[in-house]
Amino acid sequence: MSKPSANNKTLWSSLLLTHLVLLAGLLAWVVSQTRPVEMHDLHLADGEKLKCVSYAPYHRPGQTPFDERLRIPHEQIAADLSALSKITDCVRLYSVDQGLEQVPAVAREVGIKVLLGAWIGHDREKNALELDRAIALANANADVVSALIVGNEVLLRRERTEDEMRALIRDAKSRATVPVTYADVWEFWTRHDSLAQEVDFVTVHILPFWEDEPVDIEHALEHVAATRTQVGEHFAGKHVLIGETGWPSQGRQREESRPSQVNQARYVREFVHQAHQRGWDYNLIEAIDQPWKRKLEGTVGGFWGMLDAHTLAPKFPLSGPVAERDSLTAPCWQPPRGPSPACYWPWAARAAARCARARRWLLALRPDSLPCSMPSTHRSPTATRSNGPCSAPLPYLPCCWR
């Protein structure tokens, strides 16, 4: 009986050593996240701000555009736009529903302009009501509303045809007193370029992260410049607005495109510098992180904002070095919210997966080598010690998070 005991000690020592090495590696990675990264400083002229940012107010707990009963209160919109007015001259809206019709009046108070959007989808009746409201709102606030955007990525979602969009744009132009445009991914604009005849200017989305072939941050700005040049040549003589561009600060990597706060800061700084230098008109996506988008696009969907969803504070400065974490505990510990699940749950899930593989490997290798002695809080109700192997269906391993 002494030999199995010695084998057990060797096995557990090996497992302990392995996890200590993994823990040391994790600690080294966390420390590396606190190192500031030098990057291009964005030096805007005195009084100069970002040209425009996409604004959606659904950043508080439980808020989502899919809640038809939701109405965003005036005080929330006022607080949001007050914070945004410090960094931008304009906000872009995608709808005039759920309290967003209050935005032009608040924007006037804080001194910013509005790109007003009418949401167009699969429901024709709702489309007509939305467009009527948007046109009336734009006309009533023409001193603040710089343009009306009829639909966003409708052709991409295949919710309306090109001819249907043409009819909606013509209807809007016949009644609106402000310029009218349509917004979609740049490829869909070039596929449906006859719509350019109907709009006052072309609004394209250029998002290196979401391209069919995701672009590395090292080449992202080259991609944007090449795409913007291609679109400009394709629609020669027509003004072009980059209606969406940006980079996420957290989430799952898409091939070469890696989300991170450093990469987001680098992209925004370098893009804005290039846009101002080349005279591009643009709108960044987006103003504030949107937690509800995580259900649609995964974790990455919720972290495209310039401002934090909870504090409305800028996520990074426009000049100086930027680090992923301010300290060894941030962003995992974020007072007053406490530990962030985004930090420890992925690690715990990976640890649990490793443990499951280890269990299966040990059971296959030597079923009689698994210990039945374990803390009572972790013991399986069916675990018993008999003259044979432990009968617990999922043997306890100290590496596991329970």
Side-chain angles (χ1 to χ4, degrees):
M1 298 297 293
S2 60
K3 190 172 182 179
S5 177
N7 288 341
N8 283 343
K9 288 182 179 179
T10 301
L11 177 64
W12 293 119
S13 296
S14 299
L15 286 171
L16 178 61
L17 180 60
T18 299
H19 282 81
L20 286 175
V21 170
L22 291 172
L23 183 60
L26 177 63
L27 181 59
W29 176 79
V30 171
V31 170
S32 72
Q33 298 281 289
T34 64
R35 294 174 184 164
V37 177
E38 297 289 341
M39 62 183 68
H40 178 83
D41 286 344
L42 181 60
H43 295 298
L44 299 177
D46 290 341
E48 189 177 22
K49 301 177 184 178
L50 304 175
K51 288 195 175 182
C52 201
V53 295
S54 294
Y55 171 61
Y58 313 103
H59 58 88
R60 292 186 178 179
Q63 290 182 338
T64 168
F66 297 114
D67 181 359
E68 295 184 357
R69 299 170 299 175
L70 176 67
R71 179 175 172 80
I72 304 298
H74 180 274
E75 56 270 21
Q76 179 183 338
I77 293 175
D80 290 350
L81 296 194
S82 176
L84 289 170
S85 67
K86 299 172 184 176
I87 65 170
T88 185
D89 287 323
C90 160
V91 292
R92 175 186 170 184
L93 300 183
Y94 293 79
S95 172
V96 293
D97 200 8
Q98 298 177 308
L100 285 167
E101 72 279 358
Q102 304 170 87
V103 169
V106 178
R108 183 182 294 108
E109 294 172 4
V110 298
I112 61 177
K113 299 291 185 179
V114 178
L115 288 172
L116 192 70
W119 186 261
I120 303 298
H122 58 81
D123 189 320
R124 287 185 173 84
E125 185 175 341
K126 284 186 177 180
N127 291 343
L129 291 172
E130 173 83 357
L131 191 56
D132 286 346
R133 295 179 65 194
I135 292 170
L137 191 62
N139 290 346
N141 297 275
D143 61 317
V144 173
V145 176
S146 54
L148 172 63
I149 304 177
V150 180
N152 179 72
E153 298 184 350
V154 184
L155 298 174
L156 172 67
R157 298 194 309 273
R158 300 181 180 179
E159 292 184 340
R160 293 269 73 84
T161 66
E162 180 179 331
D163 287 339
E164 288 173 317
M165 288 309 305
R166 191 188 327 276
L168 289 169
I169 294 167
R170 285 178 177 175
D171 177 36
K173 282 201 69 175
S174 69
R175 296 189 283 152
T177 59
V178 300
V180 174
T181 185
Y182 165 68
D184 213 321
V185 176
W186 68 272
E187 288 178 298
F188 277 77
W189 252 113
T190 55
R191 292 179 197 174
H192 303 275
D193 52 9
S194 67
L195 288 179
Q197 303 171 15
E198 311 299 337
V199 297
D200 291 297
F201 59 92
V202 173
T203 302
V204 297
H205 298 169
I206 307 176
L207 297 157
F209 184 88
W210 286 124
E211 291 287 9
D212 292 338
E213 296 182 8
V215 183
D216 190 297
I217 188 66
E218 295 292 335
H219 308 292
L221 272 300
E222 297 173 17
H223 171 80
V224 172
T227 303
R228 173 61 178 79
T229 298
Q230 178 183 339
V231 170
E233 291 174 351
H234 192 97
F235 297 103
K238 207 80 174 181
H239 180 67
V240 175
L241 165 68
I242 299 178
E244 282 186 4
T245 194
W247 198 272
S249 61
Q250 291 187 42
R252 179 176 296 180
Q253 182 171 335
R254 290 191 74 235
E255 299 180 20
E256 301 302 318
S257 296
R258 188 174 70 85
S260 75
Q261 183 159 291
V262 168
N263 285 349
Q264 184 185 45
R266 177 180 174 181
Y267 183 90
V268 169
R269 289 187 188 183
E270 293 182 3
F271 169 80
V272 173
H273 173 74
Q274 186 171 191
H276 288 208
Q277 191 175 53
R278 297 185 180 219
W280 294 342
D281 202 4
Y282 68 86
N283 170 76
L284 291 172
I285 185 165
E286 59 193 322
I288 306 170
D289 281 344
Q290 299 291 300
W292 65 273
K293 286 188 178 180
R294 299 176 199 170
K295 291 184 178 180
L296 294 179
E297 303 172 5
T299 302
V300 72
F303 293 98
W304 289 72
M306 300 287 291
L307 306 184
D308 178 80
H310 303 276
T311 65
L312 295 184
K315 289 160 60 177
F316 55 85
L318 294 180
S319 62
V322 177
E324 289 296 327
R325 298 166 177 262
D326 295 329
S327 68
L328 292 179
T329 56
C332 287
W333 186 264
Q334 301 172 332
R337 302 192 303 278
S340 168
C343 293
Y344 58 72
W345 278 117
W347 189 91
R350 289 193 294 270
R354 288 196 301 270
C355 288
R357 289 194 296 270
R359 289 190 185 113
R360 292 193 295 269
W361 175 73
L362 287 171
L363 281 169
L365 182 66
R366 191 178 177 87
D368 60 347
S369 68
L370 294 168
C372 268
S373 59
M374 61 187 80
S376 60
T377 54
H378 296 296
R379 185 176 297 129
S380 167
T382 60
T384 58
R385 170 61 68 188
S386 63
N387 293 330
C390 172
S391 60
L394 291 177
Y396 169 77
L397 287 177
C399 66
C400 301
W401 286 29
R402 297 270 183 149

